[in-house]
mmCIF file with all atom_site columns, all heavy atoms in Angstrom:
data_model
loop_
_atom_site.group_PDB
_atom_site.id
_atom_site.type_symbol
_atom_site.label_atom_id
_atom_site.label_alt_id
_atom_site.label_comp_id
_atom_site.label_asym_id
_atom_site.label_entity_id
_atom_site.label_seq_id
_atom_site.pdbx_PDB_ins_code
_atom_site.Cartn_x
_atom_site.Cartn_y
_atom_site.Cartn_z
_atom_site.occupancy
_atom_site.B_iso_or_equiv
_atom_site.pdbx_formal_charge
_atom_site.auth_seq_id
_atom_site.auth_comp_id
_atom_site.auth_asym_id
_atom_site.auth_atom_id
_atom_site.pdbx_PDB_model_num
ATOM 1   N N   . ARG M 1 12 ? -0.737  160.026 72.522 1.00 54.00 ? 18 ARG M N   1
ATOM 2   C CA  . ARG M 1 12 ? 0.633   160.557 72.694 1.00 54.00 ? 18 ARG M CA  1
ATOM 3   C C   . ARG M 1 12 ? 0.900   161.904 72.127 1.00 54.00 ? 18 ARG M C   1
ATOM 4   O O   . ARG M 1 12 ? 1.346   162.743 72.694 1.00 54.00 ? 18 ARG M O   1
ATOM 5   C CB  . ARG M 1 12 ? 1.680   159.553 72.157 1.00 54.00 ? 18 ARG M CB  1
ATOM 6   C CG  . ARG M 1 12 ? 1.714   158.268 73.054 1.00 54.00 ? 18 ARG M CG  1
ATOM 7   C CD  . ARG M 1 12 ? 2.939   157.553 72.636 1.00 54.00 ? 18 ARG M CD  1
ATOM 8   N NE  . ARG M 1 12 ? 2.931   157.091 71.312 1.00 54.00 ? 18 ARG M NE  1
ATOM 9   C CZ  . ARG M 1 12 ? 2.459   155.835 70.944 1.00 54.00 ? 18 ARG M CZ  1
ATOM 10  N NH1 . ARG M 1 12 ? 1.819   155.146 71.779 1.00 54.00 ? 18 ARG M NH1 1
ATOM 11  N NH2 . ARG M 1 12 ? 2.449   155.518 69.602 1.00 54.00 ? 18 ARG M NH2 1
ATOM 12  N N   . ALA M 1 13 ? 0.381   162.037 70.847 1.00 53.00 ? 19 ALA M N   1
ATOM 13  C CA  . ALA M 1 13 ? 0.533   163.239 70.116 1.00 53.00 ? 19 ALA M CA  1
ATOM 14  C C   . ALA M 1 13 ? -0.156  164.422 70.767 1.00 53.00 ? 19 ALA M C   1
ATOM 15  O O   . ALA M 1 13 ? 0.336   165.457 70.918 1.00 53.00 ? 19 ALA M O   1
ATOM 16  C CB  . ALA M 1 13 ? 0.249   163.172 68.689 1.00 53.00 ? 19 ALA M CB  1
ATOM 17  N N   . LEU M 1 14 ? -1.485  164.120 70.985 1.00 54.00 ? 20 LEU M N   1
ATOM 18  C CA  . LEU M 1 14 ? -2.299  165.257 71.593 1.00 54.00 ? 20 LEU M CA  1
ATOM 19  C C   . LEU M 1 14 ? -1.798  165.637 73.097 1.00 54.00 ? 20 LEU M C   1
ATOM 20  O O   . LEU M 1 14 ? -1.903  166.758 73.487 1.00 54.00 ? 20 LEU M O   1
ATOM 21  C CB  . LEU M 1 14 ? -3.723  164.920 71.695 1.00 54.00 ? 20 LEU M CB  1
ATOM 22  C CG  . LEU M 1 14 ? -4.515  164.718 70.305 1.00 54.00 ? 20 LEU M CG  1
ATOM 23  C CD1 . LEU M 1 14 ? -5.868  164.319 70.473 1.00 54.00 ? 20 LEU M CD1 1
ATOM 24  C CD2 . LEU M 1 14 ? -4.311  166.004 69.558 1.00 54.00 ? 20 LEU M CD2 1
ATOM 25  N N   . GLY M 1 15 ? -1.346  164.643 73.737 1.00 51.00 ? 21 GLY M N   1
ATOM 26  C CA  . GLY M 1 15 ? -0.899  164.913 75.086 1.00 51.00 ? 21 GLY M CA  1
ATOM 27  C C   . GLY M 1 15 ? 0.232   165.849 75.153 1.00 51.00 ? 21 GLY M C   1
ATOM 28  O O   . GLY M 1 15 ? 0.428   166.724 75.949 1.00 51.00 ? 21 GLY M O   1
ATOM 29  N N   . VAL M 1 16 ? 1.237   165.755 74.136 1.00 45.00 ? 22 VAL M N   1
ATOM 30  C CA  . VAL M 1 16 ? 2.358   166.618 74.136 1.00 45.00 ? 22 VAL M CA  1
ATOM 31  C C   . VAL M 1 16 ? 1.900   168.076 73.839 1.00 45.00 ? 22 VAL M C   1
ATOM 32  O O   . VAL M 1 16 ? 2.221   168.983 74.479 1.00 45.00 ? 22 VAL M O   1
ATOM 33  C CB  . VAL M 1 16 ? 3.441   166.180 73.098 1.00 45.00 ? 22 VAL M CB  1
ATOM 34  C CG1 . VAL M 1 16 ? 4.477   167.234 72.792 1.00 45.00 ? 22 VAL M CG1 1
ATOM 35  C CG2 . VAL M 1 16 ? 3.959   164.852 73.486 1.00 45.00 ? 22 VAL M CG2 1
ATOM 36  N N   . PHE M 1 17 ? 0.903   168.150 72.942 1.00 46.00 ? 23 PHE M N   1
ATOM 37  C CA  . PHE M 1 17 ? 0.415   169.456 72.474 1.00 46.00 ? 23 PHE M CA  1
ATOM 38  C C   . PHE M 1 17 ? -0.417  170.217 73.740 1.00 46.00 ? 23 PHE M C   1
ATOM 39  O O   . PHE M 1 17 ? -0.271  171.449 73.829 1.00 46.00 ? 23 PHE M O   1
ATOM 40  C CB  . PHE M 1 17 ? -0.497  169.339 71.262 1.00 46.00 ? 23 PHE M CB  1
ATOM 41  C CG  . PHE M 1 17 ? -0.995  170.608 70.810 1.00 46.00 ? 23 PHE M CG  1
ATOM 42  C CD1 . PHE M 1 17 ? -0.199  171.672 70.159 1.00 46.00 ? 23 PHE M CD1 1
ATOM 43  C CD2 . PHE M 1 17 ? -2.380  170.975 70.840 1.00 46.00 ? 23 PHE M CD2 1
ATOM 44  C CE1 . PHE M 1 17 ? -0.714  172.901 69.748 1.00 46.00 ? 23 PHE M CE1 1
ATOM 45  C CE2 . PHE M 1 17 ? -2.904  172.099 70.554 1.00 46.00 ? 23 PHE M CE2 1
ATOM 46  C CZ  . PHE M 1 17 ? -2.064  173.046 69.905 1.00 46.00 ? 23 PHE M CZ  1
ATOM 47  N N   . LEU M 1 18 ? -1.336  169.528 74.325 1.00 48.00 ? 24 LEU M N   1
ATOM 48  C CA  . LEU M 1 18 ? -2.186  170.124 75.257 1.00 48.00 ? 24 LEU M CA  1
ATOM 49  C C   . LEU M 1 18 ? -1.744  170.074 76.798 1.00 48.00 ? 24 LEU M C   1
ATOM 50  O O   . LEU M 1 18 ? -2.392  170.660 77.642 1.00 48.00 ? 24 LEU M O   1
ATOM 51  C CB  . LEU M 1 18 ? -3.558  169.431 75.046 1.00 48.00 ? 24 LEU M CB  1
ATOM 52  C CG  . LEU M 1 18 ? -4.209  169.706 73.839 1.00 48.00 ? 24 LEU M CG  1
ATOM 53  C CD1 . LEU M 1 18 ? -5.445  168.789 73.758 1.00 48.00 ? 24 LEU M CD1 1
ATOM 54  C CD2 . LEU M 1 18 ? -4.618  171.204 73.688 1.00 48.00 ? 24 LEU M CD2 1
ATOM 55  N N   . ALA M 1 19 ? -0.622  169.430 77.021 1.00 46.00 ? 25 ALA M N   1
ATOM 56  C CA  . ALA M 1 19 ? -0.194  169.311 78.481 1.00 46.00 ? 25 ALA M CA  1
ATOM 57  C C   . ALA M 1 19 ? -0.097  170.592 79.047 1.00 46.00 ? 25 ALA M C   1
ATOM 58  O O   . ALA M 1 19 ? -0.325  170.749 80.292 1.00 46.00 ? 25 ALA M O   1
ATOM 59  C CB  . ALA M 1 19 ? 1.109   168.378 78.518 1.00 46.00 ? 25 ALA M CB  1
ATOM 60  N N   . GLU M 1 20 ? 0.409   171.665 78.352 1.00 43.00 ? 26 GLU M N   1
ATOM 61  C CA  . GLU M 1 20 ? 0.681   172.985 78.984 1.00 43.00 ? 26 GLU M CA  1
ATOM 62  C C   . GLU M 1 20 ? -0.513  173.809 79.135 1.00 43.00 ? 26 GLU M C   1
ATOM 63  O O   . GLU M 1 20 ? -0.529  174.946 79.595 1.00 43.00 ? 26 GLU M O   1
ATOM 64  C CB  . GLU M 1 20 ? 1.787   173.600 78.271 1.00 43.00 ? 26 GLU M CB  1
ATOM 65  C CG  . GLU M 1 20 ? 3.167   172.847 78.182 1.00 43.00 ? 26 GLU M CG  1
ATOM 66  C CD  . GLU M 1 20 ? 3.619   172.455 79.547 1.00 43.00 ? 26 GLU M CD  1
ATOM 67  O OE1 . GLU M 1 20 ? 3.503   173.375 80.515 1.00 43.00 ? 26 GLU M OE1 1
ATOM 68  O OE2 . GLU M 1 20 ? 4.052   171.337 79.705 1.00 43.00 ? 26 GLU M OE2 1
ATOM 69  N N   . SER M 1 21 ? -1.685  173.449 78.445 1.00 46.00 ? 27 SER M N   1
ATOM 70  C CA  . SER M 1 21 ? -2.813  174.165 78.551 1.00 46.00 ? 27 SER M CA  1
ATOM 71  C C   . SER M 1 21 ? -3.387  174.458 79.894 1.00 46.00 ? 27 SER M C   1
ATOM 72  O O   . SER M 1 21 ? -3.295  173.583 80.728 1.00 46.00 ? 27 SER M O   1
ATOM 73  C CB  . SER M 1 21 ? -3.997  173.632 77.685 1.00 46.00 ? 27 SER M CB  1
ATOM 74  O OG  . SER M 1 21 ? -3.584  173.511 76.385 1.00 46.00 ? 27 SER M OG  1
ATOM 75  N N   . ALA M 1 22 ? -3.839  175.606 80.254 1.00 46.00 ? 28 ALA M N   1
ATOM 76  C CA  . ALA M 1 22 ? -4.182  175.922 81.693 1.00 46.00 ? 28 ALA M CA  1
ATOM 77  C C   . ALA M 1 22 ? -5.375  176.899 81.644 1.00 46.00 ? 28 ALA M C   1
ATOM 78  O O   . ALA M 1 22 ? -5.664  177.582 80.664 1.00 46.00 ? 28 ALA M O   1
ATOM 79  C CB  . ALA M 1 22 ? -3.124  176.317 82.494 1.00 46.00 ? 28 ALA M CB  1
ATOM 80  N N   . GLY M 1 23 ? -5.995  177.091 82.857 1.00 44.00 ? 29 GLY M N   1
ATOM 81  C CA  . GLY M 1 23 ? -6.980  178.140 82.926 1.00 44.00 ? 29 GLY M CA  1
ATOM 82  C C   . GLY M 1 23 ? -8.336  177.664 82.511 1.00 44.00 ? 29 GLY M C   1
ATOM 83  O O   . GLY M 1 23 ? -8.536  176.523 82.273 1.00 44.00 ? 29 GLY M O   1
ATOM 84  N N   . PRO M 1 24 ? -9.352  178.635 82.530 1.00 49.00 ? 30 PRO M N   1
ATOM 85  C CA  . PRO M 1 24 ? -10.715 178.216 82.273 1.00 49.00 ? 30 PRO M CA  1
ATOM 86  C C   . PRO M 1 24 ? -10.956 177.665 80.776 1.00 49.00 ? 30 PRO M C   1
ATOM 87  O O   . PRO M 1 24 ? -11.956 177.077 80.497 1.00 49.00 ? 30 PRO M O   1
ATOM 88  C CB  . PRO M 1 24 ? -11.473 179.610 82.534 1.00 49.00 ? 30 PRO M CB  1
ATOM 89  C CG  . PRO M 1 24 ? -10.494 180.609 82.166 1.00 49.00 ? 30 PRO M CG  1
ATOM 90  C CD  . PRO M 1 24 ? -9.265  180.046 82.762 1.00 49.00 ? 30 PRO M CD  1
ATOM 91  N N   . ALA M 1 25 ? -9.998  177.923 79.823 1.00 75.00 ? 31 ALA M N   1
ATOM 92  C CA  . ALA M 1 25 ? -10.220 177.425 78.565 1.00 75.00 ? 31 ALA M CA  1
ATOM 93  C C   . ALA M 1 25 ? -9.781  176.012 78.363 1.00 75.00 ? 31 ALA M C   1
ATOM 94  O O   . ALA M 1 25 ? -9.975  175.420 77.280 1.00 75.00 ? 31 ALA M O   1
ATOM 95  C CB  . ALA M 1 25 ? -9.434  178.375 77.502 1.00 75.00 ? 31 ALA M CB  1
ATOM 96  N N   . ARG M 1 26 ? -9.235  175.370 79.345 1.00 93.00 ? 32 ARG M N   1
ATOM 97  C CA  . ARG M 1 26 ? -8.717  174.046 79.200 1.00 93.00 ? 32 ARG M CA  1
ATOM 98  C C   . ARG M 1 26 ? -9.863  173.026 78.738 1.00 93.00 ? 32 ARG M C   1
ATOM 99  O O   . ARG M 1 26 ? -9.604  172.245 77.918 1.00 93.00 ? 32 ARG M O   1
ATOM 100 C CB  . ARG M 1 26 ? -8.151  173.597 80.528 1.00 93.00 ? 32 ARG M CB  1
ATOM 101 C CG  . ARG M 1 26 ? -7.632  172.048 80.448 1.00 93.00 ? 32 ARG M CG  1
ATOM 102 C CD  . ARG M 1 26 ? -6.870  171.596 81.680 1.00 93.00 ? 32 ARG M CD  1
ATOM 103 N NE  . ARG M 1 26 ? -5.490  172.162 81.616 1.00 93.00 ? 32 ARG M NE  1
ATOM 104 C CZ  . ARG M 1 26 ? -4.514  171.746 82.431 1.00 93.00 ? 32 ARG M CZ  1
ATOM 105 N NH1 . ARG M 1 26 ? -4.719  170.876 83.462 1.00 93.00 ? 32 ARG M NH1 1
ATOM 106 N NH2 . ARG M 1 26 ? -3.282  172.255 82.336 1.00 93.00 ? 32 ARG M NH2 1
ATOM 107 N N   . ASP M 1 27 ? -10.969 173.072 79.485 1.00 96.00 ? 33 ASP M N   1
ATOM 108 C CA  . ASP M 1 27 ? -12.141 172.212 79.081 1.00 96.00 ? 33 ASP M CA  1
ATOM 109 C C   . ASP M 1 27 ? -12.443 172.326 77.637 1.00 96.00 ? 33 ASP M C   1
ATOM 110 O O   . ASP M 1 27 ? -12.661 171.331 77.039 1.00 96.00 ? 33 ASP M O   1
ATOM 111 C CB  . ASP M 1 27 ? -13.193 172.410 79.915 1.00 96.00 ? 33 ASP M CB  1
ATOM 112 C CG  . ASP M 1 27 ? -13.154 171.845 81.391 1.00 96.00 ? 33 ASP M CG  1
ATOM 113 O OD1 . ASP M 1 27 ? -12.097 171.090 81.663 1.00 96.00 ? 33 ASP M OD1 1
ATOM 114 O OD2 . ASP M 1 27 ? -13.933 172.180 82.259 1.00 96.00 ? 33 ASP M OD2 1
ATOM 115 N N   . ASP M 1 28 ? -12.540 173.621 77.137 1.00 96.00 ? 34 ASP M N   1
ATOM 116 C CA  . ASP M 1 28 ? -12.824 173.858 75.723 1.00 96.00 ? 34 ASP M CA  1
ATOM 117 C C   . ASP M 1 28 ? -11.808 173.276 74.907 1.00 96.00 ? 34 ASP M C   1
ATOM 118 O O   . ASP M 1 28 ? -12.185 172.635 73.889 1.00 96.00 ? 34 ASP M O   1
ATOM 119 C CB  . ASP M 1 28 ? -12.886 175.330 75.522 1.00 96.00 ? 34 ASP M CB  1
ATOM 120 C CG  . ASP M 1 28 ? -14.102 175.930 76.081 1.00 96.00 ? 34 ASP M CG  1
ATOM 121 O OD1 . ASP M 1 28 ? -14.787 175.365 76.794 1.00 96.00 ? 34 ASP M OD1 1
ATOM 122 O OD2 . ASP M 1 28 ? -14.364 177.210 75.678 1.00 96.00 ? 34 ASP M OD2 1
ATOM 123 N N   . LEU M 1 29 ? -10.511 173.225 75.165 1.00 96.00 ? 35 LEU M N   1
ATOM 124 C CA  . LEU M 1 29 ? -9.499  172.801 74.359 1.00 96.00 ? 35 LEU M CA  1
ATOM 125 C C   . LEU M 1 29 ? -9.543  171.286 74.238 1.00 96.00 ? 35 LEU M C   1
ATOM 126 O O   . LEU M 1 29 ? -9.527  170.699 73.152 1.00 96.00 ? 35 LEU M O   1
ATOM 127 C CB  . LEU M 1 29 ? -8.115  173.108 74.952 1.00 96.00 ? 35 LEU M CB  1
ATOM 128 C CG  . LEU M 1 29 ? -7.681  174.544 74.744 1.00 96.00 ? 35 LEU M CG  1
ATOM 129 C CD1 . LEU M 1 29 ? -6.415  174.752 75.573 1.00 96.00 ? 35 LEU M CD1 1
ATOM 130 C CD2 . LEU M 1 29 ? -7.413  174.896 73.291 1.00 96.00 ? 35 LEU M CD2 1
ATOM 131 N N   . TRP M 1 30 ? -9.864  170.551 75.447 1.00 97.00 ? 36 TRP M N   1
ATOM 132 C CA  . TRP M 1 30 ? -9.930  169.099 75.302 1.00 97.00 ? 36 TRP M CA  1
ATOM 133 C C   . TRP M 1 30 ? -11.234 168.720 74.678 1.00 97.00 ? 36 TRP M C   1
ATOM 134 O O   . TRP M 1 30 ? -11.273 167.793 73.859 1.00 97.00 ? 36 TRP M O   1
ATOM 135 C CB  . TRP M 1 30 ? -9.981  168.542 76.742 1.00 97.00 ? 36 TRP M CB  1
ATOM 136 C CG  . TRP M 1 30 ? -8.674  168.673 77.649 1.00 97.00 ? 36 TRP M CG  1
ATOM 137 C CD1 . TRP M 1 30 ? -8.599  169.316 78.720 1.00 97.00 ? 36 TRP M CD1 1
ATOM 138 C CD2 . TRP M 1 30 ? -7.484  168.030 77.292 1.00 97.00 ? 36 TRP M CD2 1
ATOM 139 N NE1 . TRP M 1 30 ? -7.260  169.082 79.165 1.00 97.00 ? 36 TRP M NE1 1
ATOM 140 C CE2 . TRP M 1 30 ? -6.583  168.395 78.309 1.00 97.00 ? 36 TRP M CE2 1
ATOM 141 C CE3 . TRP M 1 30 ? -6.991  167.367 76.158 1.00 97.00 ? 36 TRP M CE3 1
ATOM 142 C CZ2 . TRP M 1 30 ? -5.229  168.043 78.382 1.00 97.00 ? 36 TRP M CZ2 1
ATOM 143 C CZ3 . TRP M 1 30 ? -5.627  166.965 76.212 1.00 97.00 ? 36 TRP M CZ3 1
ATOM 144 C CH2 . TRP M 1 30 ? -4.770  167.279 77.187 1.00 97.00 ? 36 TRP M CH2 1
ATOM 145 N N   . MET M 1 31 ? -12.358 169.386 74.827 1.00 98.00 ? 37 MET M N   1
ATOM 146 C CA  . MET M 1 31 ? -13.553 169.090 74.016 1.00 98.00 ? 37 MET M CA  1
ATOM 147 C C   . MET M 1 31 ? -13.342 169.234 72.591 1.00 98.00 ? 37 MET M C   1
ATOM 148 O O   . MET M 1 31 ? -14.015 168.489 71.871 1.00 98.00 ? 37 MET M O   1
ATOM 149 C CB  . MET M 1 31 ? -14.660 170.020 74.598 1.00 98.00 ? 37 MET M CB  1
ATOM 150 C CG  . MET M 1 31 ? -16.132 169.497 74.150 1.00 98.00 ? 37 MET M CG  1
ATOM 151 S SD  . MET M 1 31 ? -16.520 167.719 74.700 1.00 98.00 ? 37 MET M SD  1
ATOM 152 C CE  . MET M 1 31 ? -16.889 168.181 76.378 1.00 98.00 ? 37 MET M CE  1
#
Side-chain angles (χ1 to χ4, degrees):
R18 288 193 298 271
L20 292 178
V22 171
F23 177 71
L24 292 171
E26 300 305 319
S27 299
R32 174 174 284 191
D33 285 348
D34 287 11
L35 285 171
W36 292 122
M37 189 62 74

